[in-house]
């Protein structure tokens, strides 16, 4: 269960205040385990039952699906609420920070501020901008991971109960506020534009008479990133690292499964009319065998590491092609 | 900012008493989960005993009308209790709002048809549920502590506009789910200061600031009404927009700031005044009030906003005011951190575009399969999970291809959703 682990690790490493605002993935997984399995339809399928029973079969599944969907709705509400609240906060904060830059610029021109004051001010502004940038990106991570988790939960639900909840609910979730992150992305871009100005190569603050200081070093002498300023910055830095791991985990999984399922798909299936169309888009391939591979806990580490390089290259190439 | 309005749970609620939900789980997770029929029966009995039920006999008939002509045992949960189970649940869903009525008066198979494939989407089917039934899910006791349980009588519960008589039920649900989640969160995060389920509300969450407090207010007062951009009146937020969470865009915020400045600044401006000046549809005084509070925090006490008062002291210690080299190092450290953040951002963009693409492909595949006819889909079904695949074979023969195709498309698109997981 790689995703679950990645998710959990991310939660442990992320901003403490956010931890309980994520999708209750593990709890939902547990809940699904308690649901009645798809006992109506064991594999060898029985002869089509009488309409009455079949009707109730569907009715019942629908009822169960509705119930489960309602639970997910509560989760969605939580996700949306948190997301929008944070988004609002970042809108405000970014505007306030931009205002602050303007004020400092004005002050610099009009009043003669001491260099030290100015330096301090600039440092603080830089720090704040980096901080808000980091947090916004963590919010994006929040969105992405929760959506991925939600899709997985839906898949598990369908698998467990033979329900058909996955697609429609996913389509709906796709348009929920917590996953429509375009405004947030715009904020991030805006932030980065400002940051370009704040982190130029030449800067008054760097004036120390030594030109060597202008060379960026990979290893900052006394401070590493995240240890630089204060607790706040450090927390964001650590959370960013955790988020990187989680997102890379998602990506790696897909690359690996792409490779495996591609092989299975080609060898395991007879030629089929629509398969030709499918294979041109490799992401469609995952779906068939992913669930079995993943849910069967086939975390074959050796295979993964061997496949990883090839798969990632392939994956990147496909991503490039798809993006093209 | 337009937002596609597909949020059922933001639609107005209809007061409905909620009896027992579907399978509930024993408060103690130490009980190993017994075999399902037993669990179902035991738990439902327990729930049903706790809850006043409408006489289920009378509700069986509506079910039949809704779902199927012949009432009888209900699917896999074949037991007398199960009749109650569906009778309990379904009237809640369909008595007050009948999403299935317009669609079908016929067999349950049609219900599934709708369920799965209606316009390729889900919205009509589920529009009504959240408002009808109390969710049996309160996974976040912190949240409940903060807001949900505060104002149940005011109808500001999770989905409710309704001052429901299900207060007890909510408490029980909350209790059940609290226990469930408590155990779960203990596993997930070993965080003693955890802003989690442990001591209700945890200090970190409490201390987190006016931002979170105003978020709490929002939670308390939030009803399940569709939020929407101010500029575009929401098509279906027919009800109480005062309790929605507003989605603040930069443009909207700019109008807010202009209004505030006109009124003499954030300290002097009043919510009422700002609201008047902004002249924005769907914006209520609650929205403005909370936004103003956040705004003031951002301007004057930003250190409080991030939930860590330690920042204030730490930053005073850390900012080397005289040491230029120190400044350089700090700047460099910040720069590196920024680079890392940018990298993560790139990854996220890739991830997101993949996720979106997969959703689209799911739709395309669905169409493809619909065009394929039945024989061609057999192979596709084989490839899907056995549960899904075998489900198809149980279709009643009468429904024939019309039914098969949407089901197949469900399988196909379910596969698409699956593939999205691994991205």
């Amino acid at each position: 269960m790689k995703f679950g682990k990645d998710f959990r690790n991310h939660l442990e490493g992320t901003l403490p205040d956010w931890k309980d605002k994520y999708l209750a993935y593990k709890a939902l997984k547990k809940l699904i385990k308690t649901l009645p399995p798809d006992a109506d339809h064991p594999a060898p399928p029985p002869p089509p039952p009488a309409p009455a029973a079949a009707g109730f079969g569907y009715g019942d599944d629908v009822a169960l699906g509705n119930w489960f969907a309602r639970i997910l709705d509560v989760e969605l509400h939580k996700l949306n609420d948190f997301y929008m609240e944070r988004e609002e906060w970042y809108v405000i904060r970014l505007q306030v920070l931009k205002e602050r830059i303007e004020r400092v610029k004005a002050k610099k021109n009009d009043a003669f501020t001491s260099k030290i004051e100015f330096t301090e001010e600039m440092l603080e502004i830089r720090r704040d901008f980096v901080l808000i940038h980091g947090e916004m990106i963590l919010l994006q991570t929040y969105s992405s991971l929760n959506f991925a988790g939600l899709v997985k939960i839906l898949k598990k639900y369908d698998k467990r109960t033979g329900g058909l909840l996955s697609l429609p609910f996913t389509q709906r979730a796709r348009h929920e506020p917590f996953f429509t992150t375009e405004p947030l992305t715009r904020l991030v871009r805006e932030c980065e534009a400002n940051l370009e100005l704040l982190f130029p190569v030449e800067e008054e603050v760097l004036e120390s008479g030594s030109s060597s200081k202008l060379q960026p070093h990979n290893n900052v002498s006394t401070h590493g990133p995240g240890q630089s300023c204060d607790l706040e910055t450090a927390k964001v830095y650590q959370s960013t690292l955790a988020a990187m791991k989680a997102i890379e985990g998602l990506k790696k999984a897909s690359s690996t499964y792409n490779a495996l399922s591609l092989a299975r798909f080609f060898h395991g299936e007879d030629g089929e009319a629509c398969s030709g169309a499918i294979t041109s888009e490799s992401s469609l391939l995952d779906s068939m065998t992913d669930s079995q591979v993943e849910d069967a806990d086939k975390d074959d580490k050796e295979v993964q590491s061997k496949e990883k390089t090839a798969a990632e290259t392939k994956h990147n190439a496909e991503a490039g092609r798809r993006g093209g | 900012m337009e937002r596609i309005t597909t949020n059922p749970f933001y639609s107005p609620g209809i007061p409905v008493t909620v009896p027992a939900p579907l399978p509930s789980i024993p408060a103690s997770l130490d009980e190993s989960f017994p075999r399902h029929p037993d669990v179902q029966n035991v738990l439902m009995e327990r729930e049903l005993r706790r809850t006043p039920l409408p006489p289920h006999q009378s509700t069986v008939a509506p079910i039949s009308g809704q779902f199927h002509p012949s009432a009888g045992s209900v699917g896999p949960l074949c037991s007398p209790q199960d009749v109650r189970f569906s009778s309990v649940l379904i009237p809640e869903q369909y008595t007050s709002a009948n999403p299935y009525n317009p669609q079908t008066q016929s067999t349950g198979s049609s219900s599934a048809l709708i369920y799965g494939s209606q316009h390729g989407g889900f919205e009509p089917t589920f529009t009504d549920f959240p408002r009808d039934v109390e969710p049996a899910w309160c996974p976040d006791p912190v949240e409940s502590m903060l807001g949900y349980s505060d104002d149940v009588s005011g109808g500001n519960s999770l989905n409710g506009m309704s001052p429901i008589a299900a207060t007890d039920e909510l408490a029980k649900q909350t209790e059940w789910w609290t226990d469930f989640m408590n155990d779960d969160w203990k596993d997930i995060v070993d965080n003693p200061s955890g802003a989690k389920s442990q001591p209700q509300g945890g200090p970190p969450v409490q201390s987190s600031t006016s931002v979170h407090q105003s978020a709490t207010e929002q939670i308390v007062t939030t009803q399940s009404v569709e939020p929407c951009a101010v500029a575009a009146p929401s098509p279906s937020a027919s009800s109480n927009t005062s309790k929605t969470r507003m989605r603040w865009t930069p443009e909207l915020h700019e109008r807010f700031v202009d209004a505030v400045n006109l009124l003499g600044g954030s300290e002097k401006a009043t919510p009422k005044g700002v609201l008047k000046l902004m002249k924005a549809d769907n914006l209520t005084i609650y929205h403005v009030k909370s936004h103003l509070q956040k705004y003031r925090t951002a301007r004057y006490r930003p250190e409080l906003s991030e939930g860590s008062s330690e920042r204030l002291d730490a930053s005073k210690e850390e900012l080397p005011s005289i040491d230029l080299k120190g400044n350089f190092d700090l700047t460099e450290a910040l720069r590196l951190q920024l680079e890392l953040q940018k990298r993560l951002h790139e990854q996220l963009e890739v991830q997101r575009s993949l996720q979106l693409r997969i959703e689209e492909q799911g739709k395309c595949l669905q169409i493809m399969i619909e065009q394929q006819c039945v024989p061609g889909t057999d192979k596709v079904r084989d490839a899907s999970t056995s549960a899904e695949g075998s489900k198809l074979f149980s279709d009643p023969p009468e429904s024939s291809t019309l039914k098969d195709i949407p089901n197949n498309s469900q399988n196909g698109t379910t596969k698409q959703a699956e593939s999205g997981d691994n991205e």
Side-chain angles (χ1 to χ4, degrees):
Chain A
M1 302 289 164
K2 194 164 191 303
F3 177 83
K5 189 143 182 281
D6 285 342
F7 193 73
R8 200 160 49 246
N9 288 338
H10 172 78
L11 283 182
E12 281 174 30
T14 198
L15 300 173
D17 291 343
W18 292 24
K19 277 181 188 149
D20 58 342
K21 301 288 192 268
Y22 278 77
L23 183 76
Y25 181 79
K26 192 173 173 193
L28 282 166
K29 235 170 62 169
K30 270 190 193 169
L31 178 61
I32 288 174
K33 287 204 173 101
T34 71
L35 295 181
D38 195 15
D40 267 353
H41 315 292
F56 271 113
Y58 280 108
D60 206 42
D61 282 343
V62 172
L64 187 66
N66 295 339
W67 172 80
F68 192 73
R70 247 170 290 125
I71 287 181
L72 292 183
D73 277 343
V74 175
E75 287 295 291
L76 282 181
H77 185 99
K78 173 177 84 176
L79 298 177
N80 283 329
D81 203 71
F82 179 72
Y83 181 88
M84 287 195 281
E85 185 272 317
R86 288 278 86 197
E87 188 186 56
E88 180 184 353
W89 172 245
Y90 298 138
V91 166
I92 295 175
R93 186 111 174 88
L94 188 62
Q95 176 262 324
V96 165
L97 280 178
K98 285 194 297 185
E99 238 176 58
R100 196 168 164 196
I101 286 188
E102 295 301 314
R103 272 188 282 134
V104 170
K105 266 196 218 163
K107 241 171 94 177
K108 188 174 168 229
N109 290 335
D110 302 340
F112 188 77
T113 335
S114 82
K115 184 151 269 169
I116 290 177
E117 262 182 50
F118 175 75
T119 304
E120 267 188 41
E121 185 80 6
M122 285 305 292
L123 195 61
E124 215 177 297
I125 290 182
R126 265 192 214 108
R127 172 203 174 275
D128 286 346
F129 262 94
V130 171
L131 209 57
I132 194 179
H133 182 263
E135 283 194 39
M136 288 198 286
I137 288 171
L138 285 172
L139 189 63
Q140 252 190 309
T141 313
Y142 171 89
S143 166
S144 188
L145 285 176
N146 282 323
F147 187 80
L150 184 67
V151 170
K152 278 197 181 303
I153 287 292
L154 285 166
K155 184 184 80 172
K156 288 184 199 298
Y157 173 86
D158 278 359
K159 189 174 181 204
R160 172 78 181 176
T161 65
L164 300 173
L165 193 49
S166 181
L167 175 73
F169 204 94
T170 303
Q171 296 294 343
R172 193 185 119 203
R174 153 76 188 92
H175 298 292
E176 293 289 325
F178 85 93
F179 197 61
T180 49
T181 58
E182 286 83 6
L184 187 65
T185 308
R186 279 196 288 272
L187 287 177
V188 170
R189 297 265 175 252
E190 202 180 335
C191 195
E192 283 174 0
N194 278 279
L195 281 163
E196 289 292 310
L197 303 173
L198 290 175
F199 281 90
V201 176
E202 300 108 26
E203 173 66 65
E204 296 85 77
V205 75
L206 302 179
E207 276 178 26
S208 56
S210 165
S211 59
S212 64
K213 288 217 164 81
L214 294 178
Q215 307 297 327
H217 6 247
N218 283 334
N219 270 333
V220 179
S221 52
T222 52
H223 304 273
Q227 302 154 23
S228 62
C229 288
D230 52 294
L231 201 63
E232 205 63 39
T233 320
K235 273 200 280 188
V236 170
Y237 180 73
Q238 297 303 325
S239 306
T240 308
L241 286 176
M244 278 292 266
K245 281 202 201 105
I247 296 297
E248 274 167 9
L250 285 187
K251 213 179 79 156
K252 277 178 195 163
S254 70
S255 306
T256 310
Y257 291 136
N258 257 332
L260 291 175
S261 59
L262 187 58
R264 282 190 201 208
F265 182 81
F266 276 122
H267 299 317
E269 293 292 314
D270 295 334
E272 187 208 327
C274 60
S275 69
I278 295 174
T279 52
S280 66
E281 302 283 349
S282 68
S283 60
L284 299 182
L285 302 174
D286 310 342
S287 50
M288 283 174 297
T289 50
D290 272 350
S291 54
Q292 288 118 12
V293 174
E294 188 193 335
D295 294 338
D297 274 333
K298 284 190 196 161
D299 265 354
D300 187 353
K301 296 278 193 297
E302 280 110 287
V303 177
Q304 280 180 5
S305 57
K306 253 192 295 177
E307 298 278 358
K308 195 177 101 170
T309 328
E312 272 182 5
T313 320
K314 182 181 181 311
H315 183 78
N316 290 337
E318 284 154 2
R321 182 164 47 80
R322 280 200 291 265
Chain B
M1 158 74 53
E2 285 290 332
R3 200 182 60 75
I4 299 168
T5 57
T6 58
N7 292 0
F9 61 80
Y10 285 116
S11 51
I14 290 182
V16 172
T17 306
V18 181
L22 285 183
S24 54
I25 296 182
S28 161
L29 281 181
D30 293 337
E31 284 176 36
S32 57
F33 294 109
R35 291 310 110 216
H36 292 97
D38 300 330
V39 171
Q40 293 298 334
N41 297 344
V42 165
L43 296 176
M44 278 187 302
E45 284 200 300
R46 204 207 282 188
E47 282 299 326
L48 293 167
R49 255 182 275 125
R50 287 199 272 178
T51 333
L53 279 183
H56 57 266
Q57 291 310 317
S58 61
T59 58
V60 171
I63 301 169
S64 346
Q66 297 283 348
F67 274 111
H68 205 275
S70 59
S73 72
V74 181
L77 308 174
C78 284
S79 76
Q81 291 90 345
D82 300 330
V83 175
R84 260 180 292 165
F85 140 72
S86 36
S87 70
V88 155
L89 183 65
I90 290 159
E92 267 53 56
Q93 297 167 356
Y94 303 110
T95 310
S96 49
N98 293 313
Y100 282 65
N101 264 348
Q103 314 299 336
T104 177
Q105 288 292 333
S106 60
T107 64
S109 58
S110 314
S111 306
L113 184 71
I114 292 151
Y115 185 101
S117 67
Q118 187 166 27
H119 309 306
F122 212 53
E123 298 86 23
T125 338
F126 278 108
T127 304
D128 304 291
F129 297 140
R131 45 175 158 138
D132 295 336
V133 183
E134 194 80 19
W137 177 270
C138 297
D140 194 341
V142 172
E143 225 171 24
S144 353
M145 198 282 305
L146 288 179
Y148 289 117
S149 52
D150 283 354
D151 201 5
V152 173
S153 59
N156 288 326
S157 55
L158 291 163
N159 68 336
M161 312 229 341
S162 42
I164 308 176
T167 307
D168 287 346
E169 197 53 37
L170 174 62
K172 280 166 197 145
Q173 302 300 339
T174 314
E175 181 194 322
W176 160 63
W177 188 244
T178 303
D179 293 339
F180 190 84
M181 286 297 298
N182 267 333
D183 288 350
D184 191 54
W185 281 113
K186 274 175 201 151
D187 295 339
I188 290 177
V189 180
D190 179 18
N191 185 355
S193 69
K196 207 139 296 110
S197 52
Q198 313 301 333
Q200 293 297 328
V205 176
Q206 283 298 325
S207 69
S208 34
T209 86
S210 53
V211 169
H212 287 276
Q213 282 158 18
S214 63
T216 305
E217 284 165 14
Q218 279 287 21
I219 292 172
V220 168
T221 58
T222 288
Q223 304 240 344
S224 35
V225 182
E226 195 170 81
C228 53
V230 168
S234 160
S236 57
S238 46
S239 77
N240 206 344
T241 51
S242 68
K243 311 280 179 85
T244 326
R245 178 171 286 286
M246 175 62 58
R247 191 153 193 195
W248 285 87
T249 65
E251 295 77 32
L252 184 60
H253 178 67
E254 209 173 322
R255 284 164 65 182
F256 170 87
V257 171
D258 290 342
V260 163
N261 290 335
L262 277 175
L263 292 172
S266 61
E267 292 300 307
K268 285 198 181 143
T270 65
K272 198 168 165 192
V274 172
L275 182 64
K276 258 191 172 166
L277 272 180
M278 281 180 75
K279 286 199 273 279
D281 294 336
N282 296 328
L283 195 61
T284 71
I285 194 153
Y286 302 104
H287 298 141
V288 175
K289 207 156 98 175
S290 89
H291 196 75
L292 185 61
Q293 194 177 0
K294 288 190 165 87
Y295 185 64
R296 285 175 179 152
T297 306
R299 286 178 69 86
Y300 300 113
R301 310 286 302 280
E303 67 275 4
L304 289 185
S305 68
E306 308 304 334
S308 168
S309 50
E310 303 152 65
R311 185 259 216 223
L312 199 51
D313 299 332
S315 66
K316 288 212 157 87
E317 290 167 21
E318 294 291 342
L319 280 181
S321 44
I322 303 170
D323 179 10
L324 286 179
K325 179 173 190 312
N327 280 344
F328 175 81
D329 287 342
L330 285 170
T331 305
E332 275 312 293
L334 281 175
R335 190 198 294 262
L336 287 173
Q337 181 162 349
L338 179 62
E339 289 308 313
L340 177 69
Q341 285 166 191
K342 278 185 176 170
R343 240 195 309 143
L344 175 58
H345 181 55
E346 272 170 37
Q347 297 285 341
L348 285 167
E349 290 295 298
V350 170
Q351 175 74 15
R352 179 176 170 78
S353 69
L354 283 172
Q355 279 169 329
L356 294 180
R357 200 171 278 269
I358 283 160
E359 296 315 314
E360 281 171 46
Q361 285 168 344
K363 283 191 203 158
C364 290
L365 187 64
Q366 180 175 1
I367 293 167
M368 271 197 302
I369 289 176
E370 279 170 7
Q371 292 164 354
Q372 279 292 324
C373 293
V374 179
T377 59
D378 283 328
K379 296 290 196 276
V380 177
R381 282 189 291 187
D382 289 341
S384 64
T385 57
S386 58
E388 289 161 2
S390 54
K391 189 161 179 60
L392 290 170
F393 292 110
S394 70
D395 296 351
E398 73 221 9
S399 52
S400 73
T401 52
L402 181 62
K403 175 108 173 312
D404 281 344
I405 288 168
N407 275 320
N408 290 335
S409 66
Q410 281 317 303
N411 283 336
T413 44
T414 306
K415 291 186 294 179
Q416 293 322 299
E418 287 174 46
S419 70
D421 309 342
N422 296 308
E423 297 302 327

